[in-house]
Amino acid sequence: MKPLNQTVLDMKPSGIRKFFDIVSEMPKAISLGVGEPDFDTPWHISDEGIYTLEKGRTFYTSNSGLMELRKEIGLWYEKKYGIHRNPVSEILITVGGSEGIDLALRALLSPGDEVIIPEPSYVSYVPCVSLAGGVPVTLPLKNENCFKLTAEELESAITEKTKALVLSFPNNPTGAIMTKDDLKPIAELAVKYDLYVISDEIYSELTYGKEPHASIGALPGMSERTIVINGFSKAYAMTGWRLGYAMAPEVIAREMTKIHQFCIMCAPTTSQYAAVEAIKNGDKDIAKMRESYDKRRRFLLKQFEIMGLPCFEPEGAFYMFPCIKEFGMTSDEFATTLLREEELAVVPGSAFGDCGEGFIRISYAYSIDELREAMDRMGRFIRRRRGQEQ
């Protein structure tokens, strides 16, 4: 029998799934591992989806997606973040933000092209670069810099083969953000070295600091080289609807659409109609969920302070990334032992890159009651590790 694709064979399974599988067999376990809103999709959005089914709107849309939805996305992004894209030729509706990432990489990369991926990062970037024939170049970010990317770090990783940079802020798994001032020197380097930037902004609506989210695509010289990826999963609690979008210069969007055309055809029609309602009338829903996440965020920060567990203050997404190096265990050992002893599941930081070793990811997309119980369990576990409790 002929061998399978070696690139796929060499890929490691997601480091997150192992703990999900174990937790599913533990009825009393609490999982803080899932990066998914605990809110139901707001009813007016679901109701619009139901209405379209009742009216028989179940046919294919154009490959690029409903024009009404693309227009609303274009208006929304221009108003909020100062990015203008032509909805006819520069906005593509995808099956979640994940498809948008895959399409962007496959459209950009030729064999051997290097892509810089700051880590810790979302688990799909490295394998998607490899599947597209590129070479992932991981760049470790530092806890002392609040896991922001600096210009010095970026320039040190650029070679003559560098084709693109993946930016993911607000960040999964750290919760780090990049302000407009943080992004300016990164944009200057992208222009200087003629790099494309794939800016994954799926958590753009979940920021808690004084400054709102800023998109690198709005900075000088970046419009012609930036692909913005976003979607409806996190902001509108629509994970299962599987709907995202990509905004790119026409010359790139055209090639992304070509791949999408042959592999997917179009994103789910019902989800697209629901998304029109979401983007037109969902701002209050976002604000309500964001306020709740912020309360949980501050609760966890206080609990970590009480435990003496070091954790920088994340200002985006719904994740914490506390440091567990003092316990002399790998992050996988820590997570496995915590699950066995206290039936509490977290994700090892190493699942998000080698520089995540010594950290764990905790999602606070859970009720405050679940978080209280989870922190009680973690507190007991940590006290035992320190010899403070038998």
Side-chain angles (χ1 to χ4, degrees):
M1 183 177 291
K2 293 181 179 180
L4 300 176
N5 184 309
Q6 192 59 47
T7 300
V8 178
L9 290 172
D10 291 341
M11 286 169 52
K12 296 179 181 179
S14 168
I16 302 174
R17 298 311 311 177
K18 166 180 143 178
F19 291 89
F20 291 171
D21 294 340
I22 297 173
V23 168
S24 66
E25 302 297 324
M26 301 173 68
K28 294 183 180 180
I30 295 176
S31 174
L32 302 184
V34 180
E36 181 172 36
D38 63 322
F39 297 96
D40 292 333
T41 302
W43 176 247
H44 66 101
I45 299 173
S46 295
D47 194 39
E48 181 64 21
I50 294 168
Y51 177 77
T52 63
L53 291 174
E54 291 175 339
K55 293 299 179 180
R57 297 175 184 170
T58 56
F59 301 97
Y60 294 131
T61 68
S62 74
N63 295 136
S64 296
L66 286 173
M67 180 55 70
E68 182 183 4
L69 177 56
R70 285 183 278 154
K71 286 181 178 178
E72 290 296 336
I73 289 170
L75 290 170
W76 188 81
Y77 237 90
E78 185 166 16
K79 179 181 177 181
K80 291 206 72 169
Y81 301 121
I83 294 179
H84 173 74
R85 290 295 185 200
N86 184 338
V88 176
S89 58
E90 297 184 317
I91 298 177
L92 169 65
I93 309 303
T94 60
V95 181
S98 296
E99 191 211 351
I101 295 163
D102 182 45
L103 293 176
L105 290 167
R106 287 204 274 171
L108 290 178
L109 300 182
S110 296
D113 286 342
E114 293 180 353
V115 179
I116 296 173
I117 304 171
E119 287 187 336
S121 70
Y122 178 51
V123 296
S124 78
Y125 301 140
V126 168
C128 281
V129 169
S130 297
L131 287 170
V135 179
V137 177
T138 57
L139 179 59
L141 303 184
K142 297 180 176 65
N143 186 21
E144 54 266 33
N145 293 335
C146 297
F147 292 104
K148 295 175 185 280
L149 173 65
T150 68
E152 293 75 20
E153 289 168 333
L154 175 58
E155 192 161 27
S156 71
I158 296 173
T159 74
E160 61 181 14
K161 295 182 179 181
T162 305
K163 185 75 163 285
L165 163 69
V166 175
L167 280 182
S168 177
F169 295 95
N171 181 263
N172 172 14
T174 66
I177 65 165
M178 295 275 282
T179 66
K180 186 175 182 179
D181 286 340
D182 294 327
L183 290 169
K184 285 179 180 177
I186 305 301
E188 290 170 1
L189 287 177
V191 173
K192 177 181 177 180
Y193 290 99
D194 192 24
L195 305 181
Y196 292 110
V197 175
I198 300 172
S199 184
D200 184 353
E201 303 179 15
I202 193 70
Y203 294 98
S204 63
E205 304 315 295
L206 300 179
T207 60
Y208 313 103
K210 295 179 181 179
E211 296 187 45
H213 171 71
S215 177
I216 195 169
L219 297 180
M222 295 306 296
S223 178
E224 63 267 31
R225 66 183 68 253
T226 302
I227 303 169
V228 172
I229 306 296
N230 210 321
F232 296 83
S233 294
K234 313 300 183 179
Y236 300 97
M238 294 178 67
T239 52
W241 296 77
R242 302 314 304 132
L243 203 72
Y245 54 91
M247 305 194 309
E250 182 175 355
V251 64
I252 301 174
R254 181 172 59 245
E255 303 311 310
M256 292 174 64
T257 303
K258 191 188 301 180
I259 302 168
H260 173 78
Q261 180 183 70
F262 289 122
C263 295
I264 298 295
M265 176 60 175
C266 68
T269 302
T270 301
S271 299
Q272 292 191 56
Y273 280 111
V276 172
E277 171 64 21
I279 206 163
K280 289 174 71 172
N281 299 306
D283 284 354
K284 290 182 179 179
D285 303 306
I286 293 174
K288 181 179 178 181
M289 288 186 274
R290 183 170 53 231
E291 181 181 2
S292 178
Y293 290 137
D294 191 24
K295 289 178 181 178
R296 305 174 199 184
R297 180 182 74 99
R298 288 184 276 115
F299 169 75
L300 286 185
L301 282 171
K302 184 63 177 178
Q303 293 302 305
F304 292 150
E305 181 183 346
I306 292 170
M307 294 179 204
L309 197 63
C311 184
F312 85 100
E313 180 175 352
E315 295 187 55
F318 38 59
Y319 305 107
M320 296 279 180
F321 207 59
C323 178
I324 49 91
K325 293 179 181 179
E326 68 167 287
F327 302 105
M329 309 165 74
T330 68
S331 56
D332 191 272
E333 289 168 345
F334 184 96
T336 300
T337 309
L338 176 63
L339 181 58
R340 184 178 67 247
E341 293 186 7
E342 290 291 345
E343 296 189 304
L344 175 61
V346 299
V347 181
S350 55
F352 306 96
D354 290 343
C355 70
E357 185 56 79
F359 297 83
I360 55 173
R361 189 193 77 172
I362 291 176
S363 169
Y364 50 90
Y366 297 88
S367 72
I368 197 71
D369 289 337
E370 286 180 292
L371 292 176
R372 284 196 181 97
E373 173 61 25
M375 290 303 100
D376 286 344
R377 296 184 186 190
M378 180 167 282
R380 286 197 303 266
F381 179 78
I382 287 175
R383 288 193 296 273
R384 283 199 302 275
R385 299 278 83 72
R386 291 173 176 159
Q388 297 169 345
E389 183 176 293
Q390 299 301 319

